[in-house]
Each structure stands twice: as C-alpha cells, then as structure tokens.
Amino acid sequence: DSIPFPITRFSNSVQKVFRVPRPKFEPREYVDEIARIVRAESIDLVIPIHEETDILAMAQDQFPPECRLLLSDFLTENRLHNKYEYQVLLETLGVPTLKYAQVRDEAELAALDFESPFALKQVYSRGSQQVYKVNPGEIPDGLTFDPLNPWLAQEWLKGDKYCTYSVCHEGRVYAHAIYPVRYAINGQSCLSYEPVEHPGITDWVTERVKEINFTGQIGFDFIEHPERGLFTIECNPRSTSGILMFEPHNRVDRAFFGENDDVITPDPDVRKMVGPGMLLYGWRKSALEGNT
C-alpha cells in the first residue's frame, strides 16, 4: 500500500506489508517496486484490487514469466473501465444498450438530444462520485471539461438495480455473486449485500466474459425495466465489495487460482454491510429508494 498504516497490516492473515509509491501519481515507480517485491519474495500470483489494475496491465512484461497477474491486457481493461468505451464495446458485441453519448466540451453538451432524463458522469469515475441527473434543457452549470476524462451522458432508466462480482480466468467464470442495490450511497454505491439468484444476469455475465476472454475480477451494474428488459449501466474490471458475501468455508480463494470445477457462489442466507458507511449514509433519504 502507499499509505504508512494500511488496515491490512493489522490482519492475522497478512504475512508482510510493503510501502510502495502512489500508483496514481507515480505509476512507473509503483510498477518497478511491485516487480521488485515479486522477484524478492518469489511471488507467483499478483491480484490487483482497484484501479491500479490498468497500470499493471500496461507493464506485464516487467514481471518474471513464472508470476501470473490476475488481469487482462490493457486494451480490454481500459475498454471496460472507461464508461463510454464500455458502451461502444457492448454495441460492437450486439448487446442492447441504453441511449448514450460522449461529452467532451460545451458544444457537445449543448447538442445532446435526450428526450427524457439522463445521467451525466465522467468516463473514469466511481458510481457515487459526481453523478448528475439531468432533465432535457436543464444543463448543469459549472461543469469542467478534462480532455483525458470526458463525460458520458446516459439515459436514466427506472427499474430494479443489481450488481455482480465475479472471478474469471481466460473467459470462464470461477466465482460469481449477484446482489440487489438497496442501501447505497446516493443510490449508487452499495452499503449492504445479500445474494440473489437471477439466471438472466448469470447468463449475461457468463456470455460477456467468454466473448472478451476476460481474466481478473469484474463487476457489472445492471438495471431491469419491467417492459424493456435488462441493461448494464457500467463495468468495474476490478475487485468490488461483492466479495464480502463469501464466507471462509466457501473457499473463494480457489477461484483466484482457477482450481475449482463448479462456480463458487455465496451462501443464500448471508447478509453483510459496510458498517461505517451505513452509519454515515444509511440513514439518509437518498440511501434507500422509497425512504421517507
């Protein structure tokens, strides 16, 4: 970790903790140090957790051949991570999408032709960060435009929301969980987790993972409309909090090594929550749809 006292250093499951450069601000130094640790400690599997996945994907040739990185090539990782490129990829695969457009400047913002409310969010962002719900003709004031991080305008659809978490190797799913979006930060970033079965979502994820031959951890955000059907809003090609639903006896660790034959799923009656998050956000009206 890049901070002096990461929470993991106090875990009895951790053997060693290393201080590394900040991947966002010092990517080259970060990769150099991770590769050095791999060689010094004879590590045979590196499991990225968050957005450092993209950085490591660009530098896979710096790692010894006997070490596997649980990720895909950079082109695949970036197309999934970039919210606009992800929608383009879905269209390329023939998958129905919500109406969307990229917004790089004031002119493109003014030219949007949505006839119903739409979401406006940057293509590199997290679900709970700076998401605007925009009505046609009521463009938000004060938007700034970053050429390296443009905005995505995406149709705002009401329906049942679900998230997934999966561990994959070369286009095959080894662990998989689906959970509804209930308590969440501003209705976006989940605070509570309970698994559900949804064969349509499971089939969708299985097919997409196979089509793009994905390796790594991945999460999809879905919305299901009673008449229009199932749509995916965005993708997170990294670890997500969905992994919290797996108990030790589920042995989800086998999925990271690709050792299991049957897909590992959480126990049907498991219930988890992010305690500090619930204390900070769970009581707010925006945390649960229908709250009064």
Side-chain angles (χ1 to χ4, degrees):
D1 209 316
S2 59
I3 61 176
F5 297 101
I7 192 171
T8 50
R9 76 179 298 161
F10 305 106
S11 169
N12 59 13
S13 298
V14 173
Q15 291 184 339
K16 281 189 180 182
V17 174
F18 299 89
R19 179 84 181 271
V20 297
R22 299 169 297 175
K24 181 177 180 179
F25 301 103
E26 304 164 283
R28 292 182 184 276
E29 293 83 356
Y30 171 77
V31 169
D32 289 345
E33 182 62 9
I34 295 294
R36 186 198 67 77
I37 293 170
V38 163
R39 291 185 173 88
E41 302 293 327
S42 300
I43 292 170
D44 55 16
L45 178 65
V46 173
I47 305 173
I49 301 299
H50 293 299
E51 280 76 7
E52 80 274 10
T53 304
D54 286 359
I55 297 169
L56 293 174
M58 289 188 284
Q60 296 190 55
D61 60 346
Q62 295 193 33
F63 291 82
E66 60 270 18
C67 176
R68 288 191 299 152
L69 276 67
L70 191 67
L71 46 74
S72 296
D73 61 90
F74 174 72
L75 178 61
T76 299
E77 294 283 351
N78 188 59
R79 291 188 78 182
L80 296 171
H81 189 194
N82 182 303
K83 291 176 171 56
Y84 172 75
E85 293 296 336
Y86 174 58
Q87 299 300 319
V88 174
L89 173 62
L90 292 178
E91 283 198 321
T92 302
L93 296 173
V95 178
T97 67
L98 298 173
K99 182 177 180 179
Y100 70 95
Q102 185 170 230
V103 179
R104 291 165 291 193
D105 51 39
E106 291 279 1
E108 291 185 345
L109 183 62
L112 292 175
D113 62 348
F114 285 81
E115 297 178 355
S116 59
F118 60 92
L120 196 61
K121 51 193 173 183
Q122 288 183 293
V123 299
Y124 295 114
S125 62
R126 292 191 179 183
S128 59
Q129 294 178 338
Q130 208 172 11
V131 178
Y132 297 94
K133 183 178 181 180
V134 183
N135 293 313
E138 299 178 5
I139 302 302
D141 294 326
L143 285 183
T144 58
F145 296 93
D146 181 349
L148 299 178
N149 192 10
W151 296 84
L152 170 73
Q154 185 179 47
E155 177 186 358
W156 193 288
L157 186 67
K158 289 187 175 181
D160 295 328
K161 298 178 182 178
Y162 299 92
C163 294
T164 67
Y165 168 78
S166 306
V167 181
C168 313
H169 293 273
E170 298 179 347
R172 178 184 164 190
V173 176
Y174 281 78
H176 180 61
I178 305 170
Y179 50 103
V181 178
R182 290 181 177 155
Y183 282 96
I185 301 174
N186 295 325
Q188 303 290 331
S189 188
C190 277
L191 296 169
S192 62
Y193 308 89
E194 52 185 286
V196 296
E197 291 189 9
H198 192 305
I201 290 179
T202 297
D203 290 345
W204 193 102
V205 172
T206 302
E207 291 170 11
R208 298 296 87 75
V209 166
K210 182 179 181 180
E211 285 175 331
I212 61 179
N213 195 33
F214 183 78
T215 293
Q217 301 175 84
I218 194 167
F220 296 94
D221 295 346
F222 289 91
I223 191 159
E224 188 168 36
H225 189 273
E227 297 175 0
R228 295 176 57 184
L230 189 67
F231 294 91
T232 176
I233 304 170
E234 58 188 57
C235 173
N236 296 300
R238 56 173 173 79
S239 181
T240 73
S241 298
I243 196 173
L244 294 173
M245 292 184 293
F246 293 92
E247 299 285 0
H249 67 261
N250 297 137
R251 290 293 312 279
V252 73
D253 56 290
R254 292 175 295 152
F256 288 93
F257 293 93
E259 295 177 344
N260 51 298
D261 294 322
D262 297 328
V263 177
I264 298 169
T265 58
D267 297 337
D269 58 349
V270 68
R271 301 288 185 273
K272 296 293 181 69
M273 70 175 182
V274 179
M278 288 292 284
L279 289 172
L280 289 170
Y281 297 97
W283 56 271
R284 301 184 183 189
K285 183 177 180 180
S286 62
L288 181 64
E289 194 166 331
N291 256 4
T292 56

